[in-house]
Amino acid sequence: MANVAVIGAQWGDEGKGKIVDWLSKRADVVVRFQGGHNAGHTLVIDGVVYKLSLLPSGIVRQGKLSIIGNGVVVDPWHLAKEIEDLRAQGVEITPANLIVAENAVLILPVHSELDHFRETSNSGTKIGTTKRGIGPAYEDKVGRRAIRLIDLADPDFLKSRIENLLQHHNALRRGHGQEEADGEALFAALSEIAPKVLPFAGQVWRKLAEARAEGARILFEGAQGALLDVDHGTYPYVTSSNTVAGQAAAGSGVAPHAVGYVLGICKAYTTRVGEGPFPTELTDATGELIGTRGHEFGTVTGRKRRCGWFDATLVRQTVQTGGIRGIALTKLDVLDGFPEIRIATGYRLDGTEIDYFPASPAEQARVEPIYETMEGWSGTTKGARQWKDLPAEAIKYVRRVEELIDAPVAILSTSPEREDTILVRNPFAD
């Protein structure tokens, strides 16, 4: 039985939470391997809505081990609150079913404050971040001045790490015209939160090695989407981590061959939050209708998502960079009732047809999508659990998507409910 890595194949918000939750029924361990609490996942289980942004989606299932890997940046205050909120909904969370990598980097108030300073400044490029400190925390990780979860267990060492960190941050704060951060106040805040999060700290790499030796099935849960990857996405309008499947190994402490089957998640249309290029964006009534029917507002920020037709060129590219072997196509029901549906099959750049999305921001801004128009369907796909329940035109649409992206649809989601899913191919059996 293969392990499975789940990644977003677009700009995030593809419905990974539901798919990961659905797959976690067949998994023993669920691992988050990158990102932070900027990744919103909404799960609807038996009519109960669970909103997660840091904890793995498997946490709502009894008998599953949830892991936050070393590739994730962790806000300890948010972690404690998310645990508290889920417990209030009846979800049991203890060190027995949740482990956080002891070498995971912490997101601190100075990180979210720096994020805010940059995004609200009148100078520089506005990326459209969630202002939650994700990027600045990764910067400190690469700069070797970050504070990690395990550092909370050694107060004397923690003080020295804070001093080193603030030498850098206070220089930045002065440059933004802000007061310097108080090292003693930060130490006090971290000392107060430490007892709430340290019990979950552990050697994730060792636990995953033991799980693999026992034959456990592991589900690696990505955040955001491949088009927001810091290397392969629409730079500079990207997140601050690698979101492709290759990060599953490095971000959790397993060998690359342990990752197994890569499942990409994408909507039957396209959405994006924040700034950056979006070739198929619809700013008309059709775009508004898709957004309204799809409830396209961010789980974390509540920001309205930009909506557009399915872009097969972009997804085909993420299939290649992400090593995606199968696709979970979500929100097909949002397209119910459209008389015509369009798919972007390529682009026109300065009069020349191309079959890829260029890396140059200037060229990205100039590309024009080349559309193929398909007949829509008047019937409903909502709640369908078998192929025979789908209108013929909907099946044709799915098959055409498969052809254009060079990857099969392994799972088809027809509503937010867990069981409203058509399983074409079981990734764990591959």
Side-chain angles (χ1 to χ4, degrees):
M1 303 292 279
N3 297 325
V4 177
V6 173
I7 65 172
Q10 294 163 313
W11 278 296
D13 308 309
E14 301 96 348
K16 291 182 294 297
K18 171 195 168 171
I19 299 299
V20 169
D21 171 65
W22 193 86
L23 287 170
S24 67
K25 183 178 181 180
R26 296 155 176 80
D28 303 298
V29 184
V30 183
V31 187
R32 273 284 310 273
F33 59 84
Q34 50 77 220
H37 64 305
N38 56 340
H41 291 166
T42 300
L43 309 181
V44 182
I45 303 171
D46 297 328
V48 180
V49 177
Y50 300 93
K51 291 186 180 293
L52 311 177
S53 54
L54 182 59
L55 292 170
S57 296
I59 198 69
V60 298
R61 284 191 180 274
Q62 291 186 349
K64 308 295 180 181
L65 175 61
S66 290
I67 288 178
I68 297 177
N70 57 275
V72 178
V73 285
V74 178
D75 182 321
W77 296 277
H78 181 89
L79 174 62
K81 184 179 186 306
E82 195 167 323
I83 290 171
E84 181 182 326
D85 289 347
L86 283 181
R87 283 173 172 167
Q89 288 188 276
V91 179
E92 182 180 6
I93 303 176
T94 71
N97 70 340
L98 174 65
I99 302 175
V100 184
E102 61 184 5
N103 54 335
V105 165
L106 299 183
I107 300 174
L108 308 174
V110 291
H111 295 131
S112 56
E113 289 163 4
L114 178 58
D115 218 351
H116 180 79
F117 298 154
R118 288 171 171 171
E119 285 293 305
T120 57
S121 171
N122 291 326
S123 61
T125 300
K126 291 180 174 58
I127 303 300
T129 76
T130 58
K131 303 185 184 70
R132 296 199 166 200
I134 311 299
Y138 275 117
E139 290 176 36
D140 283 345
K141 177 179 181 178
V142 175
R144 300 180 294 277
R145 56 183 168 266
I147 293 173
R148 305 185 300 172
L149 179 58
I150 193 62
D151 298 339
L152 301 185
D154 187 338
D156 291 334
F157 183 67
L158 177 60
K159 288 180 179 178
S160 68
R161 295 302 297 164
I162 290 174
E163 181 180 356
N164 180 67
L165 179 75
L166 292 189
Q167 284 182 357
H168 174 78
H169 275 271
N170 281 335
L172 292 176
R173 293 171 75 91
R174 289 192 298 270
H176 283 280
Q178 303 296 322
E179 291 185 3
E180 293 189 1
D182 185 336
E184 292 185 2
L186 179 55
F187 176 77
L190 287 171
S191 299
E192 181 181 7
I193 197 65
K196 296 182 179 180
V197 295
L198 275 176
F200 298 99
Q203 296 176 325
V204 163
W205 60 271
R206 184 187 296 275
K207 189 65 179 179
L208 288 174
E210 292 172 352
R212 290 189 61 225
E214 294 168 359
R217 285 172 291 190
I218 303 171
L219 187 60
F220 298 93
E221 177 183 5
Q224 289 90 38
L227 294 172
L228 293 175
D229 186 279
V230 70
D231 286 304
H232 301 288
T234 49
Y235 192 90
Y237 301 100
V238 293
T239 194
S240 299
S241 61
N242 287 111
T243 59
V244 294
Q247 178 63 17
S252 55
V254 300
H257 67 264
V259 173
Y261 186 98
V262 180
L263 180 70
I265 317 297
C266 66
K267 289 175 181 171
Y269 50 97
T270 310
T271 64
R272 177 165 199 169
V273 171
E275 307 297 327
F278 187 167
T280 65
E281 182 175 11
L282 296 170
T283 57
D284 57 8
T286 299
E288 285 291 326
L289 181 58
I290 291 174
T292 299
R293 294 179 62 175
H295 305 289
E296 295 299 348
F297 295 90
T299 300
V300 171
T301 64
R303 289 185 295 178
K304 185 178 180 180
R305 296 176 186 139
R306 301 153 63 189
C307 299
W309 294 121
F310 186 83
D311 193 328
T313 306
L314 282 176
V315 176
R316 184 170 61 245
Q317 198 158 315
T318 61
V319 164
Q320 295 172 355
T321 59
I324 293 171
R325 294 175 59 189
I327 285 286
L329 192 66
T330 66
K331 292 199 169 185
L332 182 66
D333 55 299
V334 173
L335 299 181
D336 288 355
F338 281 91
E340 291 185 342
I341 298 173
R342 307 179 84 186
I343 302 176
T345 60
Y347 305 117
R348 189 171 288 105
L349 176 61
D350 300 333
T352 301
E353 292 189 10
I354 59 174
D355 62 355
Y356 64 93
F357 196 56
S360 164
E363 292 183 346
Q364 289 175 356
R366 296 202 306 273
V367 297
E368 301 173 6
I370 299 172
Y371 284 115
E372 177 179 301
T373 301
M374 298 188 67
E375 182 182 358
W377 51 91
S378 58
T380 181
T381 64
K382 188 175 180 63
R385 300 183 181 182
Q386 301 180 67
W387 279 111
K388 67 181 181 62
D389 298 330
L390 297 174
E393 294 82 4
I395 294 175
K396 290 178 182 178
Y397 179 76
V398 173
R399 294 306 187 202
R400 184 57 177 150
V401 166
E402 290 180 315
E403 293 174 357
L404 291 170
I405 67 174
D406 293 331
V409 170
I411 296 173
L412 189 64
S413 172
T414 57
S415 95
E417 289 290 342
R418 176 191 283 169
E419 299 305 326
D420 288 344
T421 306
I422 299 173
L423 178 64
V424 183
R425 188 183 190 91
N426 184 357
F428 279 117
D430 210 309

